[in-house]
Amino acid sequence: MAGSIALNGTQISYIGNDCKEIPEYIGKAYGHFAKRLDLSFNQLRALAGLKMFPELEELIVDNNQLGNDLRLPRLPRLHTLTLNKNQISFDRVTPALEYLSLLGNQACPNQLVSPDKDEDDYQRYRYFVLHKLPQLKFLDTRKVTKRESMEARERGEFMKVVKPKCDAPSTEAGKDSNPLPYTPLPRGSRDGSNHRGLFTKCRYIYYGKHSEGNRFIRNDQL
């Protein structure tokens, strides 16, 4: 069954219909004149149907299931693309873009969705994307600055943010591979069935700067 379509001049919206691919009838009916297409909140995993939208300038596909196998057909007029909240870990987009947003994807280490990342990680990501797409004027929520463009040209190739792999810790020869949990008790007292008292002298110095009672304790009472 066809989902709901909103038409406003050259702007087409097909939002929240849980489709896994772009319905063919939308391309046939509106593709020849549509300049803005919003496909947010669906279940899209591919965008092959866009080949029927040669005049497209803006594409919004937020909150879908697009991944690293994303392929865009040739869209010579496309200048704005938002791919927020998909499953993309690497930029695979058309080089003609001027406006790009990848918030909510693994590729974009934004602190709102990646608490383990910081502003430095996000800035490296910007340099890397700008190295790949030097014509970008706007990335995510920020305008591209001249300084960023210069840094991207000089160092952007080496700025990809990579999450390190966690290797299993190695054990050194001769060390106990199953160490006992830490305890302040002597080794002989760690056994729960062996309850032995331990008496020794302990020199304890108390600096009672905030205790008014100390001034009334005599040495022969200690």
Side-chain angles (χ1 to χ4, degrees):
M1 183 175 63
S4 58
I5 299 175
L7 174 63
N8 183 12
T10 59
Q11 302 182 28
I12 312 297
S13 296
Y14 189 73
I15 301 173
N17 292 289
D18 294 329
C19 63
K20 296 183 179 180
E21 59 184 19
I22 301 174
E24 185 176 356
Y25 74 89
I26 295 181
K28 289 182 177 180
Y30 311 106
H32 63 286
F33 69 86
K35 294 185 177 181
R36 185 180 188 273
L37 178 62
D38 191 343
L39 298 170
S40 302
F41 293 97
N42 285 290
Q43 301 293 325
L44 294 174
R45 297 179 180 273
L47 297 176
L50 291 177
K51 62 186 178 181
M52 303 182 71
F53 292 81
E55 303 297 318
L56 201 61
E57 298 177 358
E58 299 180 48
L59 175 62
I60 299 95
V61 280
D62 299 342
N63 290 275
N64 278 277
Q65 302 294 321
L66 299 170
N68 285 344
D69 56 348
L70 173 64
R71 293 290 185 274
L72 288 176
R74 186 176 181 275
L75 300 170
R77 300 181 183 274
L78 186 68
H79 58 70
T80 299
L81 173 62
T82 66
L83 292 163
N84 301 322
K85 293 190 176 181
N86 279 275
Q87 299 177 7
I88 298 170
S89 60
F90 184 72
D91 56 297
R92 293 178 180 272
V93 292
T94 174
L97 290 175
E98 295 181 357
Y99 302 87
L100 172 66
S101 184
L102 290 169
L103 292 173
N105 289 278
Q106 185 179 350
C108 176
N110 184 270
Q111 288 179 281
L112 295 177
V113 293
S114 303
D116 59 323
K117 302 297 183 182
D118 56 23
E119 180 61 25
D120 290 339
D121 293 318
Y122 179 72
Q123 188 60 62
R124 286 194 293 271
Y125 145 82
R126 287 180 65 87
Y127 290 146
F128 182 73
V129 174
L130 293 174
H131 172 75
K132 294 289 186 179
L133 302 170
Q135 76 289 342
L136 280 182
K137 296 179 180 179
F138 208 93
L139 177 58
D140 299 331
T141 59
R142 284 160 43 182
K143 183 179 180 180
V144 176
T145 65
K146 292 182 178 180
R147 181 176 180 181
E148 283 182 319
S149 297
M150 292 177 59
E151 289 286 338
R153 287 195 299 268
E154 295 177 3
R155 302 187 297 151
E157 182 180 2
F158 312 102
M159 290 293 182
K160 185 178 181 181
V161 180
V162 179
K163 186 176 182 180
K165 296 181 179 179
C166 297
D167 298 327
S170 58
T171 57
E172 296 180 13
K175 288 190 176 182
D176 189 359
S177 59
N178 296 303
L180 291 171
Y182 170 76
T183 172
L185 296 175
R187 184 177 295 275
S189 301
R190 294 177 182 176
D191 185 0
S193 62
N194 182 12
H195 301 282
R196 293 187 299 171
L198 180 68
F199 298 92
T200 184
K201 293 182 178 181
C202 178
R203 184 178 180 181
Y204 179 78
I205 302 176
Y206 177 69
Y207 297 94
K209 294 182 180 180
H210 301 289
S211 176
E212 294 295 329
N214 286 345
R215 62 177 66 177
F216 302 108
I217 299 176
R218 300 191 302 274
N219 291 336
D220 58 354
Q221 292 178 323
L222 297 176

